[in-house]
């Protein structure tokens, strides 16, 4: 490895550190995921915005699944329970009347 290669590697690492720090401070990833989530909810599948947003949301979901598996599974189960339709109300069972006409 030459001296120029070492300087190039150090420069790349410094750029990665500065970029990661600035992204973390600016919270741009949260805004990006919020934008992508909105696009998935409101854009049609024929829209290019939908297809740009899809890998962003899938990557965010995979990251959450890897870093917080129990919380992600609990949230999924709660969402699934909220999506189930409410059961139809059943009529009250009729009670047989006594032979002498009094209610049972």
């Amino acid at each position: 490895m030459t001296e120029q290669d070492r300087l190039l590697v150090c420069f790349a690492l410094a750029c990665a550190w500065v970029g990661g720090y600035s992204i973390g401070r600016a919270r741009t990833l949260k805004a990006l995921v919020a934008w992508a989530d909105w696009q998935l909810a409101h854009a049609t599948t024929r829209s290019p915005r939908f297809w740009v947003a899809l890998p962003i949301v899938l990557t965010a979901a995979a990251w959450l699944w890897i870093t917080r598996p129990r919380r992600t599974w609990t949230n999924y189960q709660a969402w699934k329970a909220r999506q189930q339709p409410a059961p139809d109300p059943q009529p009250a069972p009729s009670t047989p009347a006594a032979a002498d006409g009094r209610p049972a």
Side-chain angles (χ1 to χ4, degrees):
M1 184 181 267
T2 65
E3 186 66 29
Q4 186 179 5
D5 292 340
R6 287 185 184 147
L7 286 175
L8 188 59
V9 168
C10 289
F11 180 72
L13 289 173
C15 287
W17 181 78
V18 169
Y21 179 78
S22 61
I23 286 173
R25 295 293 292 166
R27 308 269 192 240
T28 55
L29 291 179
K30 189 174 184 178
L32 180 66
V33 171
W35 171 85
D37 186 40
W38 191 90
Q39 295 300 325
L40 285 183
H42 296 93
T44 64
T45 56
R46 291 181 180 226
S47 171
R49 293 177 300 170
F50 178 87
W51 295 105
V52 169
L54 187 63
I56 295 170
V57 170
L58 290 177
T59 304
W63 177 255
L64 285 176
W65 189 264
I66 291 168
T67 59
R68 297 174 182 240
R70 279 186 268 154
R71 177 187 256 181
T72 305
W73 182 249
T74 304
N75 287 344
Y76 170 73
Q77 288 176 330
W79 172 82
K80 196 172 180 182
R82 285 192 308 266
Q83 298 302 316
Q84 292 178 349
D88 292 333
Q90 299 292 328
S94 59
T95 56
D100 59 357
R102 290 183 299 146

